Amino acid sequence: MTTTTSPVPTAVTEPSVTLRERLRVPGGFVLGAVLLLGVAPLVLSDFRLSLLAKYLCYAIVAVGVSLAWGRGGLLVLGQGVFFGIGGYAMAMHLKLADAAATGQTLPDFMQLYGTGDALPWWWQPFAYPGFALAATVLLPMAVAALLGFFIFRRRVKGAYFAILSQALAAALAIWLVGQQATTGGTNGLTDIQGFFGYDLDDPVNQRMVYVVIAVVLLLLMAVARQLFVSRYGELLVAVRDSEERVRFLGYDPANVKLVAYVVAAGMAGLAGALFVPAVGIISPALIGIVPSIGFVIGAAVGGRASLVGAVLGALVVAWAQSTLSDAFPAGWTYFQGLLFIVAVGFLPGGLASLFAVVRDRRTRTPKGETA
Amino acid sequence: MTVILNQSFTGISIGAVLLLIALGLTLTFGQMGVINMAHGEFIMTGAYTTYVLQKSISDAGLSLLVALPVAFLVAGAMGVLLEWLLIRRLYTRPLDTLLVTWGVSLMLQQLARDIFGAPNVQTHAPDLLTGNISVGGGITLANSRLFILALALLCVLALTLILRLTPLGRRIRAVVQNRDLAEVSGIATGRVDRMTFFIGSGLAGVAGVALTLVGPIGPTTGTNYIVDAFLVVVVGGIGQLKGSVLTAFVLGVLQSVLEYSTTVSVAKVMVLVAIVAFLQWRPQGLYTLRTRSLA
């Protein structure tokens, strides 16, 4: 295997003198905040807003994908695992809270399958809100740290890493389906009523959930942005582009990659946790191989190395999927495949690089065959 | 004891299927660094080819015999088309081939759904292959599984002979070992790549024919095996036939025996853990080419 450097151009913005340049990032951030928190709740119906909330969860995953894949060159094909762990951790707590509210000790599906009246031991801690909330982020990070440690330490990389992370997603989905009595099997955890005392059927509370998700997305984008421009961010790009050289300089690339993988996992876990109150369900079908690759599609289409590109790409692809797949189920699949081929194969920088590609072409054409 | 032996035999037959699939993958992966996710759909193509042939040839045994070469050619042709259209443009970006070919695989699956319908279809196995052989001590071997095992071994043998003895095989090995050096030595690496892709994809078609003997086939037939097959390639060592052979059987038996003592889902997780643990010991797989590259 040759090294898997990606030719994606990375825009590491140098500190610039012009005011316009200096205001670009904070300005964009404020614009995004105004659109998400001000305009969207005003103009969108309750239904559309809850859809947007769901898409924003995918966008949160894309922030992590942009970090690990776009900057770090780690093709994370198993983000569904972390999304799923976060989602199940949250859903388990909410199910237990729902059950407690009606005076039951067991979630409804466990009573249905009649597997005895004792709560499984590994469900019990999730009755505590603090534990469950911490678990939505820390558990995915711990799993990523464990897997990443063993993989990166032995310099397993490139395609090997992608395949292993994908196999992990398959294994988790299969395991969840197999444990019907304690995980709800194929159905997953459904019919979630309340969210920390708030009734999720109430549109006002749905809006609150939306606001929480939007705020988390904006915060994580700010965090990722800081990571990108930090020393660590430059080191990460350096590892992606020439791992050996970084090693010769005295850094351990394994640690650099591990941090990106773990942070991306934490973001995916948080996204999964927020997905549960927004959509009211978490199931193996949402976290297996296909959705895991789906998390990568958005980032690829928008522009993996560009944070805004990855987030917008995730939003657009999620939106296109729900509108088009309702209207033309078969057509959507063809379109999705084609989107993938075109975006990854012919526009590796994604839509974020479209402007630059077009500009380059325009400036190059008059010169003739000088290249 | 009987149970363990029976379970081991099931494992060996799972391994034979994995081996058939992984043979093609290890060729293309090893030579070109291409991770072909559409390989699963080439398997599906082989399976549907058998199904279509059986519509016109009513004799199940004859149609199976005809299906083997036809599926090889059909899947091989699709592989060449894929290589020519997309993959040769992506040599410098091996990870991206994974995503691009996944897009192709999505489209091929939908195409199969549109042509043959979403529900699974069933082919008839020849009478000769429907029975069991009892070898005493309560151990029974299914004929169809023995056939698959023989088919897999035959393919390994044929591939080994091609790689060892023919000029094409010599060129393939040269390109696997050092693409640049092969290129400057006058080997048309592009043509070798296309032939490799033809053989690799064709083997997927043959695997598809074998799968029709195991159960019903449908649009997602290939996808169900592709991740496992990649794991075989990773553990076996890229581009190493003997690695793939050994790994396919070991993983098959491991999976099957673990399934018996736990459940299917727990077995999957345990196999994965075993693989990660194994990679601690040999990060580059069971067998590796010695190279001077640092990567």
Side-chain angles (χ1 to χ4, degrees), chain A residues 69 150 153-154 159-160 174 289 293 304 330 333-334 340 344-345 348, chain B residues 35 37 93 96 99 102-103 110-111 114 227 238 265 272 280 283:
Chain A
W69 184 36
F150 283 114
R153 189 177 64 113
R154 295 297 293 165
Y160 280 34
I174 291 170
I289 289 183
I293 296 188
R304 61 187 86 160
T333 315
Y334 288 122
F340 231 62
V344 179
Chain B
I35 307 160
M37 292 300 277
R93 299 186 275 146
D96 286 354
L99 297 170
W102 195 70
Q110 188 58 43
L111 194 67
D114 286 346
V227 174
I238 291 174
S265 49
L272 185 70
Q280 298 304 300

PDB file of all heavy atoms in Angstrom, chain A residues 69 150 153-154 159-160 174 289 293 304 330 333-334 340 344-345 348, chain B residues 35 37 93 96 99 102-103 110-111 114 227 238 265 272 280 283:
ATOM      1  N   TRP A  69     -11.648  13.039   8.854  1.00  0.00           N
ATOM      2  CA  TRP A  69     -11.405  12.639   7.471  1.00  0.00           C
ATOM      3  C   TRP A  69     -10.813  13.785   6.665  1.00  0.00           C
ATOM      4  O   TRP A  69      -9.777  13.641   6.014  1.00  0.00           O
ATOM      5  CB  TRP A  69     -12.712  12.152   6.844  1.00  0.00           C
ATOM      6  CG  TRP A  69     -12.571  11.614   5.456  1.00  0.00           C
ATOM      7  CD1 TRP A  69     -11.525  10.893   4.967  1.00  0.00           C
ATOM      8  CD2 TRP A  69     -13.497  11.759   4.393  1.00  0.00           C
ATOM      9  NE1 TRP A  69     -11.758  10.572   3.658  1.00  0.00           N
ATOM     10  CE2 TRP A  69     -12.956  11.088   3.278  1.00  0.00           C
ATOM     11  CE3 TRP A  69     -14.745  12.381   4.277  1.00  0.00           C
ATOM     12  CZ2 TRP A  69     -13.616  11.031   2.057  1.00  0.00           C
ATOM     13  CZ3 TRP A  69     -15.408  12.316   3.056  1.00  0.00           C
ATOM     14  CH2 TRP A  69     -14.849  11.647   1.964  1.00  0.00           C
ATOM     15  N   PHE A 150      -5.436   0.737  19.653  1.00  0.00           N
ATOM     16  CA  PHE A 150      -4.885  -0.516  19.140  1.00  0.00           C
ATOM     17  C   PHE A 150      -4.575  -0.436  17.648  1.00  0.00           C
ATOM     18  O   PHE A 150      -3.647  -1.070  17.172  1.00  0.00           O
ATOM     19  CB  PHE A 150      -5.845  -1.671  19.426  1.00  0.00           C
ATOM     20  CG  PHE A 150      -5.779  -2.102  20.859  1.00  0.00           C
ATOM     21  CD1 PHE A 150      -6.862  -1.925  21.704  1.00  0.00           C
ATOM     22  CD2 PHE A 150      -4.623  -2.661  21.373  1.00  0.00           C
ATOM     23  CE1 PHE A 150      -6.795  -2.300  23.031  1.00  0.00           C
ATOM     24  CE2 PHE A 150      -4.547  -3.042  22.699  1.00  0.00           C
ATOM     25  CZ  PHE A 150      -5.639  -2.863  23.532  1.00  0.00           C
ATOM     26  N   ARG A 153      -1.592   2.559  17.047  1.00  0.00           N
ATOM     27  CA  ARG A 153      -0.310   2.244  17.675  1.00  0.00           C
ATOM     28  C   ARG A 153       0.493   1.293  16.795  1.00  0.00           C
ATOM     29  O   ARG A 153       1.710   1.393  16.695  1.00  0.00           O
ATOM     30  CB  ARG A 153      -0.579   1.607  19.033  1.00  0.00           C
ATOM     31  CG  ARG A 153       0.639   1.412  19.906  1.00  0.00           C
ATOM     32  CD  ARG A 153       0.199   0.850  21.240  1.00  0.00           C
ATOM     33  NE  ARG A 153      -0.393  -0.467  21.049  1.00  0.00           N
ATOM     34  CZ  ARG A 153       0.151  -1.589  21.507  1.00  0.00           C
ATOM     35  NH1 ARG A 153       1.271  -1.552  22.161  1.00  0.00           N
ATOM     36  NH2 ARG A 153      -0.434  -2.743  21.307  1.00  0.00           N
ATOM     37  N   ARG A 154      -0.217   0.351  16.162  1.00  0.00           N
ATOM     38  CA  ARG A 154       0.485  -0.602  15.316  1.00  0.00           C
ATOM     39  C   ARG A 154       0.557  -0.130  13.866  1.00  0.00           C
ATOM     40  O   ARG A 154       0.799  -0.909  12.968  1.00  0.00           O
ATOM     41  CB  ARG A 154      -0.194  -1.973  15.389  1.00  0.00           C
ATOM     42  CG  ARG A 154      -0.113  -2.601  16.764  1.00  0.00           C
ATOM     43  CD  ARG A 154       1.307  -2.875  17.168  1.00  0.00           C
ATOM     44  NE  ARG A 154       1.913  -3.909  16.329  1.00  0.00           N
ATOM     45  CZ  ARG A 154       3.209  -4.153  16.266  1.00  0.00           C
ATOM     46  NH1 ARG A 154       4.034  -3.415  16.965  1.00  0.00           N
ATOM     47  NH2 ARG A 154       3.645  -5.101  15.496  1.00  0.00           N
ATOM     48  N   ALA A 159      -6.749   2.086   4.186  1.00  0.00           N
ATOM     49  CA  ALA A 159      -7.891   1.242   3.908  1.00  0.00           C
ATOM     50  C   ALA A 159      -8.177   0.291   5.070  1.00  0.00           C
ATOM     51  O   ALA A 159      -9.335   0.021   5.389  1.00  0.00           O
ATOM     52  CB  ALA A 159      -7.630   0.440   2.644  1.00  0.00           C
ATOM     53  N   TYR A 160      -7.116  -0.194   5.717  1.00  0.00           N
ATOM     54  CA  TYR A 160      -7.312  -1.107   6.844  1.00  0.00           C
ATOM     55  C   TYR A 160      -8.179  -0.451   7.898  1.00  0.00           C
ATOM     56  O   TYR A 160      -9.109  -1.047   8.435  1.00  0.00           O
ATOM     57  CB  TYR A 160      -5.957  -1.458   7.479  1.00  0.00           C
ATOM     58  CG  TYR A 160      -5.176  -2.517   6.766  1.00  0.00           C
ATOM     59  CD1 TYR A 160      -5.232  -2.631   5.386  1.00  0.00           C
ATOM     60  CD2 TYR A 160      -4.379  -3.394   7.472  1.00  0.00           C
ATOM     61  CE1 TYR A 160      -4.505  -3.607   4.742  1.00  0.00           C
ATOM     62  CE2 TYR A 160      -3.650  -4.378   6.834  1.00  0.00           C
ATOM     63  CZ  TYR A 160      -3.709  -4.472   5.471  1.00  0.00           C
ATOM     64  OH  TYR A 160      -2.996  -5.436   4.845  1.00  0.00           O
ATOM     65  N   ILE A 174     -25.559  -5.646  14.146  1.00  0.00           N
ATOM     66  CA  ILE A 174     -25.986  -7.049  14.243  1.00  0.00           C
ATOM     67  C   ILE A 174     -26.213  -7.429  15.707  1.00  0.00           C
ATOM     68  O   ILE A 174     -27.177  -8.102  16.052  1.00  0.00           O
ATOM     69  CB  ILE A 174     -24.932  -7.969  13.590  1.00  0.00           C
ATOM     70  CG1 ILE A 174     -24.926  -7.750  12.091  1.00  0.00           C
ATOM     71  CG2 ILE A 174     -25.221  -9.429  13.909  1.00  0.00           C
ATOM     72  CD1 ILE A 174     -23.778  -8.421  11.377  1.00  0.00           C
ATOM     73  N   ILE A 289     -24.061  -0.090   8.467  1.00  0.00           N
ATOM     74  CA  ILE A 289     -23.073   0.293   7.457  1.00  0.00           C
ATOM     75  C   ILE A 289     -23.588   1.398   6.546  1.00  0.00           C
ATOM     76  O   ILE A 289     -22.903   2.381   6.290  1.00  0.00           O
ATOM     77  CB  ILE A 289     -22.685  -0.946   6.622  1.00  0.00           C
ATOM     78  CG1 ILE A 289     -21.861  -1.891   7.473  1.00  0.00           C
ATOM     79  CG2 ILE A 289     -21.879  -0.530   5.411  1.00  0.00           C
ATOM     80  CD1 ILE A 289     -21.384  -3.094   6.724  1.00  0.00           C
ATOM     81  N   ILE A 293     -21.939   5.094   6.145  1.00  0.00           N
ATOM     82  CA  ILE A 293     -21.354   5.679   4.935  1.00  0.00           C
ATOM     83  C   ILE A 293     -22.083   6.966   4.602  1.00  0.00           C
ATOM     84  O   ILE A 293     -21.497   7.936   4.130  1.00  0.00           O
ATOM     85  CB  ILE A 293     -21.392   4.674   3.764  1.00  0.00           C
ATOM     86  CG1 ILE A 293     -20.520   3.464   4.098  1.00  0.00           C
ATOM     87  CG2 ILE A 293     -20.889   5.305   2.492  1.00  0.00           C
ATOM     88  CD1 ILE A 293     -20.329   2.497   2.973  1.00  0.00           C
ATOM     89  N   ARG A 304     -15.027  17.905   2.215  1.00  0.00           N
ATOM     90  CA  ARG A 304     -14.631  17.270   3.475  1.00  0.00           C
ATOM     91  C   ARG A 304     -13.689  18.143   4.289  1.00  0.00           C
ATOM     92  O   ARG A 304     -13.743  18.169   5.505  1.00  0.00           O
ATOM     93  CB  ARG A 304     -13.969  15.933   3.173  1.00  0.00           C
ATOM     94  CG  ARG A 304     -12.726  16.078   2.321  1.00  0.00           C
ATOM     95  CD  ARG A 304     -12.183  14.753   1.881  1.00  0.00           C
ATOM     96  NE  ARG A 304     -12.831  14.289   0.662  1.00  0.00           N
ATOM     97  CZ  ARG A 304     -12.286  13.374  -0.141  1.00  0.00           C
ATOM     98  NH1 ARG A 304     -11.151  12.816   0.177  1.00  0.00           N
ATOM     99  NH2 ARG A 304     -12.899  13.005  -1.235  1.00  0.00           N
ATOM    100  N   ALA A 330     -36.896   4.808  -6.078  1.00  0.00           N
ATOM    101  CA  ALA A 330     -35.852   4.180  -6.892  1.00  0.00           C
ATOM    102  C   ALA A 330     -34.920   5.252  -7.448  1.00  0.00           C
ATOM    103  O   ALA A 330     -33.700   5.101  -7.439  1.00  0.00           O
ATOM    104  CB  ALA A 330     -36.470   3.376  -8.024  1.00  0.00           C
ATOM    105  N   THR A 333     -32.113   6.461  -5.176  1.00  0.00           N
ATOM    106  CA  THR A 333     -30.934   5.614  -5.012  1.00  0.00           C
ATOM    107  C   THR A 333     -29.954   5.818  -6.160  1.00  0.00           C
ATOM    108  O   THR A 333     -28.751   5.908  -5.947  1.00  0.00           O
ATOM    109  CB  THR A 333     -31.338   4.138  -4.934  1.00  0.00           C
ATOM    110  OG1 THR A 333     -32.451   4.034  -4.070  1.00  0.00           O
ATOM    111  CG2 THR A 333     -30.223   3.298  -4.390  1.00  0.00           C
ATOM    112  N   TYR A 334     -30.493   5.891  -7.395  1.00  0.00           N
ATOM    113  CA  TYR A 334     -29.601   6.156  -8.532  1.00  0.00           C
ATOM    114  C   TYR A 334     -28.905   7.502  -8.349  1.00  0.00           C
ATOM    115  O   TYR A 334     -27.706   7.648  -8.556  1.00  0.00           O
ATOM    116  CB  TYR A 334     -30.390   6.172  -9.846  1.00  0.00           C
ATOM    117  CG  TYR A 334     -30.853   4.820 -10.291  1.00  0.00           C
ATOM    118  CD1 TYR A 334     -32.200   4.566 -10.498  1.00  0.00           C
ATOM    119  CD2 TYR A 334     -29.948   3.792 -10.527  1.00  0.00           C
ATOM    120  CE1 TYR A 334     -32.641   3.322 -10.913  1.00  0.00           C
ATOM    121  CE2 TYR A 334     -30.370   2.555 -10.938  1.00  0.00           C
ATOM    122  CZ  TYR A 334     -31.718   2.315 -11.131  1.00  0.00           C
ATOM    123  OH  TYR A 334     -32.140   1.091 -11.528  1.00  0.00           O
ATOM    124  N   PHE A 340     -22.432  10.429  -5.337  1.00  0.00           N
ATOM    125  CA  PHE A 340     -21.221   9.936  -4.726  1.00  0.00           C
ATOM    126  C   PHE A 340     -20.088   9.865  -5.718  1.00  0.00           C
ATOM    127  O   PHE A 340     -18.973  10.276  -5.451  1.00  0.00           O
ATOM    128  CB  PHE A 340     -21.501   8.534  -4.187  1.00  0.00           C
ATOM    129  CG  PHE A 340     -21.092   8.401  -2.793  1.00  0.00           C
ATOM    130  CD1 PHE A 340     -21.694   9.179  -1.851  1.00  0.00           C
ATOM    131  CD2 PHE A 340     -20.094   7.540  -2.430  1.00  0.00           C
ATOM    132  CE1 PHE A 340     -21.299   9.092  -0.546  1.00  0.00           C
ATOM    133  CE2 PHE A 340     -19.704   7.438  -1.131  1.00  0.00           C
ATOM    134  CZ  PHE A 340     -20.305   8.216  -0.189  1.00  0.00           C
ATOM    135  N   VAL A 344     -17.094  12.522  -5.181  1.00  0.00           N
ATOM    136  CA  VAL A 344     -15.816  11.993  -4.710  1.00  0.00           C
ATOM    137  C   VAL A 344     -14.835  11.831  -5.857  1.00  0.00           C
ATOM    138  O   VAL A 344     -13.656  12.155  -5.751  1.00  0.00           O
ATOM    139  CB  VAL A 344     -16.013  10.646  -3.993  1.00  0.00           C
ATOM    140  CG1 VAL A 344     -14.678  10.105  -3.522  1.00  0.00           C
ATOM    141  CG2 VAL A 344     -16.945  10.816  -2.820  1.00  0.00           C
ATOM    142  N   GLY A 345     -15.331  11.342  -6.997  1.00  0.00           N
ATOM    143  CA  GLY A 345     -14.447  11.016  -8.095  1.00  0.00           C
ATOM    144  C   GLY A 345     -13.938  12.232  -8.839  1.00  0.00           C
ATOM    145  O   GLY A 345     -12.779  12.289  -9.225  1.00  0.00           O
ATOM    146  N   PRO A 348     -13.133  16.249  -5.712  1.00  0.00           N
ATOM    147  CA  PRO A 348     -12.764  15.763  -4.374  1.00  0.00           C
ATOM    148  C   PRO A 348     -12.841  16.835  -3.299  1.00  0.00           C
ATOM    149  O   PRO A 348     -12.963  16.516  -2.129  1.00  0.00           O
ATOM    150  CB  PRO A 348     -11.340  15.251  -4.554  1.00  0.00           C
ATOM    151  CG  PRO A 348     -10.893  15.725  -5.873  1.00  0.00           C
ATOM    152  CD  PRO A 348     -12.063  16.091  -6.681  1.00  0.00           C
TER     153      PRO A 348
ATOM    154  N   ILE B  35     -10.118  -0.371  -3.330  1.00  0.00           N
ATOM    155  CA  ILE B  35     -11.070  -1.039  -2.463  1.00  0.00           C
ATOM    156  C   ILE B  35     -12.398  -1.028  -3.199  1.00  0.00           C
ATOM    157  O   ILE B  35     -13.077  -0.014  -3.267  1.00  0.00           O
ATOM    158  CB  ILE B  35     -11.198  -0.311  -1.131  1.00  0.00           C
ATOM    159  CG1 ILE B  35      -9.818  -0.133  -0.543  1.00  0.00           C
ATOM    160  CG2 ILE B  35     -12.086  -1.068  -0.188  1.00  0.00           C
ATOM    161  CD1 ILE B  35      -9.758   0.949   0.472  1.00  0.00           C
ATOM    162  N   MET B  37     -15.945  -1.671  -3.461  1.00  0.00           N
ATOM    163  CA  MET B  37     -17.163  -2.011  -2.741  1.00  0.00           C
ATOM    164  C   MET B  37     -18.204  -2.625  -3.677  1.00  0.00           C
ATOM    165  O   MET B  37     -19.149  -3.262  -3.231  1.00  0.00           O
ATOM    166  CB  MET B  37     -17.762  -0.781  -2.073  1.00  0.00           C
ATOM    167  CG  MET B  37     -16.937  -0.225  -0.952  1.00  0.00           C
ATOM    168  SD  MET B  37     -16.692  -1.395   0.383  1.00  0.00           S
ATOM    169  CE  MET B  37     -18.204  -1.175   1.282  1.00  0.00           C
ATOM    170  N   ARG B  93      -5.675   7.955  -5.376  1.00  0.00           N
ATOM    171  CA  ARG B  93      -6.523   8.177  -4.206  1.00  0.00           C
ATOM    172  C   ARG B  93      -7.249   6.892  -3.829  1.00  0.00           C
ATOM    173  O   ARG B  93      -8.455   6.759  -4.055  1.00  0.00           O
ATOM    174  CB  ARG B  93      -7.547   9.264  -4.520  1.00  0.00           C
ATOM    175  CG  ARG B  93      -6.916  10.585  -4.870  1.00  0.00           C
ATOM    176  CD  ARG B  93      -7.961  11.646  -5.015  1.00  0.00           C
ATOM    177  NE  ARG B  93      -8.556  11.677  -6.334  1.00  0.00           N
ATOM    178  CZ  ARG B  93      -9.822  11.995  -6.573  1.00  0.00           C
ATOM    179  NH1 ARG B  93     -10.633  12.267  -5.570  1.00  0.00           N
ATOM    180  NH2 ARG B  93     -10.285  12.032  -7.794  1.00  0.00           N
ATOM    181  N   ASP B  96     -10.516   7.000  -1.845  1.00  0.00           N
ATOM    182  CA  ASP B  96     -11.689   7.511  -2.551  1.00  0.00           C
ATOM    183  C   ASP B  96     -12.322   6.456  -3.436  1.00  0.00           C
ATOM    184  O   ASP B  96     -13.524   6.514  -3.713  1.00  0.00           O
ATOM    185  CB  ASP B  96     -11.309   8.738  -3.390  1.00  0.00           C
ATOM    186  CG  ASP B  96     -11.094   9.958  -2.500  1.00  0.00           C
ATOM    187  OD1 ASP B  96     -11.362   9.836  -1.297  1.00  0.00           O
ATOM    188  OD2 ASP B  96     -10.662  10.993  -2.999  1.00  0.00           O
ATOM    189  N   LEU B  99     -15.285   4.945  -1.744  1.00  0.00           N
ATOM    190  CA  LEU B  99     -16.534   5.706  -1.753  1.00  0.00           C
ATOM    191  C   LEU B  99     -17.164   5.710  -3.137  1.00  0.00           C
ATOM    192  O   LEU B  99     -18.384   5.577  -3.275  1.00  0.00           O
ATOM    193  CB  LEU B  99     -16.264   7.132  -1.290  1.00  0.00           C
ATOM    194  CG  LEU B  99     -15.755   7.207   0.150  1.00  0.00           C
ATOM    195  CD1 LEU B  99     -15.281   8.603   0.488  1.00  0.00           C
ATOM    196  CD2 LEU B  99     -16.839   6.786   1.111  1.00  0.00           C
ATOM    197  N   TRP B 102     -18.649   2.464  -3.884  1.00  0.00           N
ATOM    198  CA  TRP B 102     -19.860   2.278  -3.082  1.00  0.00           C
ATOM    199  C   TRP B 102     -21.053   2.938  -3.776  1.00  0.00           C
ATOM    200  O   TRP B 102     -22.152   2.404  -3.762  1.00  0.00           O
ATOM    201  CB  TRP B 102     -19.688   2.840  -1.674  1.00  0.00           C
ATOM    202  CG  TRP B 102     -20.742   2.347  -0.764  1.00  0.00           C
ATOM    203  CD1 TRP B 102     -20.875   1.079  -0.295  1.00  0.00           C
ATOM    204  CD2 TRP B 102     -21.854   3.078  -0.258  1.00  0.00           C
ATOM    205  NE1 TRP B 102     -21.993   0.997   0.489  1.00  0.00           N
ATOM    206  CE2 TRP B 102     -22.601   2.201   0.538  1.00  0.00           C
ATOM    207  CE3 TRP B 102     -22.269   4.402  -0.390  1.00  0.00           C
ATOM    208  CZ2 TRP B 102     -23.762   2.588   1.188  1.00  0.00           C
ATOM    209  CZ3 TRP B 102     -23.418   4.790   0.269  1.00  0.00           C
ATOM    210  CH2 TRP B 102     -24.154   3.895   1.049  1.00  0.00           C
ATOM    211  N   GLY B 103     -20.799   4.097  -4.391  1.00  0.00           N
ATOM    212  CA  GLY B 103     -21.851   4.732  -5.179  1.00  0.00           C
ATOM    213  C   GLY B 103     -22.298   3.812  -6.306  1.00  0.00           C
ATOM    214  O   GLY B 103     -23.490   3.659  -6.571  1.00  0.00           O
ATOM    215  N   GLN B 110     -29.903  -1.080  -6.988  1.00  0.00           N
ATOM    216  CA  GLN B 110     -31.216  -0.564  -7.382  1.00  0.00           C
ATOM    217  C   GLN B 110     -31.598  -1.120  -8.747  1.00  0.00           C
ATOM    218  O   GLN B 110     -32.757  -1.445  -8.992  1.00  0.00           O
ATOM    219  CB  GLN B 110     -31.177   0.963  -7.399  1.00  0.00           C
ATOM    220  CG  GLN B 110     -32.526   1.604  -7.618  1.00  0.00           C
ATOM    221  CD  GLN B 110     -33.533   1.187  -6.553  1.00  0.00           C
ATOM    222  OE1 GLN B 110     -33.220   1.131  -5.375  1.00  0.00           O
ATOM    223  NE2 GLN B 110     -34.751   0.867  -6.969  1.00  0.00           N
ATOM    224  N   LEU B 111     -30.597  -1.230  -9.618  1.00  0.00           N
ATOM    225  CA  LEU B 111     -30.846  -1.781 -10.950  1.00  0.00           C
ATOM    226  C   LEU B 111     -31.385  -3.204 -10.824  1.00  0.00           C
ATOM    227  O   LEU B 111     -32.373  -3.570 -11.484  1.00  0.00           O
ATOM    228  CB  LEU B 111     -29.540  -1.770 -11.752  1.00  0.00           C
ATOM    229  CG  LEU B 111     -29.665  -1.988 -13.257  1.00  0.00           C
ATOM    230  CD1 LEU B 111     -30.381  -0.811 -13.881  1.00  0.00           C
ATOM    231  CD2 LEU B 111     -28.285  -2.141 -13.894  1.00  0.00           C
ATOM    232  N   ASP B 114     -34.898  -3.102  -9.765  1.00  0.00           N
ATOM    233  CA  ASP B 114     -35.821  -2.705 -10.830  1.00  0.00           C
ATOM    234  C   ASP B 114     -36.029  -3.841 -11.830  1.00  0.00           C
ATOM    235  O   ASP B 114     -37.101  -3.981 -12.401  1.00  0.00           O
ATOM    236  CB  ASP B 114     -35.286  -1.464 -11.566  1.00  0.00           C
ATOM    237  CG  ASP B 114     -35.449  -0.221 -10.713  1.00  0.00           C
ATOM    238  OD1 ASP B 114     -36.194  -0.305  -9.712  1.00  0.00           O
ATOM    239  OD2 ASP B 114     -34.836   0.812 -11.024  1.00  0.00           O
ATOM    240  N   VAL B 227     -18.177  -7.053   3.712  1.00  0.00           N
ATOM    241  CA  VAL B 227     -17.343  -6.608   4.828  1.00  0.00           C
ATOM    242  C   VAL B 227     -16.490  -7.763   5.348  1.00  0.00           C
ATOM    243  O   VAL B 227     -15.285  -7.621   5.587  1.00  0.00           O
ATOM    244  CB  VAL B 227     -18.206  -6.013   5.949  1.00  0.00           C
ATOM    245  CG1 VAL B 227     -17.347  -5.695   7.160  1.00  0.00           C
ATOM    246  CG2 VAL B 227     -18.899  -4.755   5.471  1.00  0.00           C
ATOM    247  N   ILE B 238      -2.361  -8.236   2.048  1.00  0.00           N
ATOM    248  CA  ILE B 238      -2.836  -7.809   0.740  1.00  0.00           C
ATOM    249  C   ILE B 238      -2.088  -8.507  -0.383  1.00  0.00           C
ATOM    250  O   ILE B 238      -0.868  -8.589  -0.362  1.00  0.00           O
ATOM    251  CB  ILE B 238      -2.702  -6.286   0.625  1.00  0.00           C
ATOM    252  CG1 ILE B 238      -3.701  -5.643   1.570  1.00  0.00           C
ATOM    253  CG2 ILE B 238      -2.930  -5.823  -0.783  1.00  0.00           C
ATOM    254  CD1 ILE B 238      -3.570  -4.176   1.661  1.00  0.00           C
ATOM    255  N   SER B 265     -24.810 -12.868  16.768  1.00  0.00           N
ATOM    256  CA  SER B 265     -24.380 -11.476  16.896  1.00  0.00           C
ATOM    257  C   SER B 265     -23.144 -11.360  17.783  1.00  0.00           C
ATOM    258  O   SER B 265     -22.211 -10.628  17.459  1.00  0.00           O
ATOM    259  CB  SER B 265     -25.515 -10.636  17.448  1.00  0.00           C
ATOM    260  OG  SER B 265     -26.071 -11.248  18.578  1.00  0.00           O
ATOM    261  N   LEU B 272     -14.488  -9.875  15.344  1.00  0.00           N
ATOM    262  CA  LEU B 272     -13.885  -8.567  15.088  1.00  0.00           C
ATOM    263  C   LEU B 272     -12.804  -8.245  16.112  1.00  0.00           C
ATOM    264  O   LEU B 272     -11.720  -7.770  15.772  1.00  0.00           O
ATOM    265  CB  LEU B 272     -14.965  -7.485  15.095  1.00  0.00           C
ATOM    266  CG  LEU B 272     -14.456  -6.101  14.725  1.00  0.00           C
ATOM    267  CD1 LEU B 272     -14.081  -6.046  13.262  1.00  0.00           C
ATOM    268  CD2 LEU B 272     -15.481  -5.038  15.037  1.00  0.00           C
ATOM    269  N   GLN B 280      -2.514  -6.528  16.132  1.00  0.00           N
ATOM    270  CA  GLN B 280      -1.480  -6.042  17.046  1.00  0.00           C
ATOM    271  C   GLN B 280      -0.201  -6.839  16.847  1.00  0.00           C
ATOM    272  O   GLN B 280       0.901  -6.333  17.000  1.00  0.00           O
ATOM    273  CB  GLN B 280      -1.940  -6.194  18.507  1.00  0.00           C
ATOM    274  CG  GLN B 280      -3.157  -5.396  18.854  1.00  0.00           C
ATOM    275  CD  GLN B 280      -2.953  -3.939  18.565  1.00  0.00           C
ATOM    276  OE1 GLN B 280      -2.075  -3.310  19.114  1.00  0.00           O
ATOM    277  NE2 GLN B 280      -3.766  -3.402  17.667  1.00  0.00           N
ATOM    278  N   PRO B 283       0.549  -6.303  12.039  1.00  0.00           N
ATOM    279  CA  PRO B 283      -0.254  -5.201  11.504  1.00  0.00           C
ATOM    280  C   PRO B 283      -0.435  -5.256   9.986  1.00  0.00           C
ATOM    281  O   PRO B 283      -1.396  -4.710   9.476  1.00  0.00           O
ATOM    282  CB  PRO B 283       0.519  -3.955  11.919  1.00  0.00           C
ATOM    283  CG  PRO B 283       1.666  -4.392  12.712  1.00  0.00           C
ATOM    284  CD  PRO B 283       1.737  -5.868  12.737  1.00  0.00           C
TER     285      PRO B 283
END
